[in-house]
Amino acid sequence: MSVGVDRKGKRTAPMSAEPRSGEVAHRDLVVTGMTCASCVASVEDALRGVAGVRGADVNLATERARVEIDPTADDAALVRAIERAGYGALVLASDRAERAEMEDRERALRAKYVRALRRRLIVAAALAVPTVVLSMADLFYPPIAEAAWRPFLLFALATPVQIWSALLFYRGALSAARHRRTDMNTLVVVGTTTAYGVSVLRPSSRRR
């Protein structure tokens, strides 16, 4: 802190002040794209690697991150670190009015996201039910197992579920792979893709 001196040699009020080394500021961030504890650990590690960050606590349920940071640190660096880890981030404003407006926009985006998920779920359920019934129909009516059209109909029913309805899982798994990590998306994609691939290849192997 620098102090001014008048012509008579007396001290005046401080001219400028620099943040003390012990001062800590807090930043609240919205973090999107997390699905499991592994995601939380990845985001926390990314935040703690930013210069000036003293601590980071991420909540999966609320999709919020609370960061202890030096007052002079750059907020944009926090967002970049989270994005490099494969997630989305937004620093919430400290001003109450602006923060409330940002949270309203966030809720609107989340509602839109949930509606999109609901559409995918409805389509998946509508196609999955006849797929399961048709795939097990030979237990009750054995001749249907030899029907030539059955594998093609099952393929037509199952493929939209695997590719379109599960597209968000594939995007999440690819994002995790680009950052050399795995998460719940990886587990879902590996399991369902393997089952789908085996089911597609099995009828062709029978015909040989």
Side-chain angles (χ1 to χ4, degrees), residues 31-99:
V31 183
T32 60
M34 298 187 297
T35 57
C36 60
S38 175
C39 300
V40 171
S42 298
V43 173
E44 288 181 342
D45 290 342
L47 289 171
R48 289 167 183 160
V50 176
V53 171
R54 303 186 183 185
D57 183 30
V58 178
N59 189 308
L60 176 62
T62 61
E63 294 189 321
R64 292 287 194 274
R66 179 80 166 176
V67 183
E68 293 182 356
I69 192 171
D70 292 338
T72 56
D74 184 15
D75 290 351
L78 301 176
V79 175
R80 287 195 299 268
I82 294 176
E83 290 177 343
R84 282 197 298 268
Y87 305 93
L90 172 68
V91 179
L92 292 174
S94 56
D95 179 73
R96 288 187 177 182
E98 186 177 352
R99 185 189 184 105

Side-chain angles (χ1 to χ4, degrees), residues 111-169:
K112 182 179 179 180
Y113 177 70
V114 170
R115 287 194 297 271
L117 288 179
R118 186 180 295 114
R119 286 195 298 270
R120 292 178 186 272
L121 176 61
I122 292 172
V123 171
L127 295 175
V129 170
T131 300
V132 173
V133 172
L134 184 58
S135 64
M136 301 182 67
D138 58 322
L139 298 176
F140 307 97
Y141 185 66
I144 202 173
E146 304 301 326
W149 51 266
R150 184 169 175 252
F152 298 101
L153 181 55
L154 287 171
F155 176 79
L157 290 170
T159 299
V161 177
Q162 182 64 35
I163 296 178
W164 184 77
S165 295
L167 182 60
L168 298 179
F169 292 103

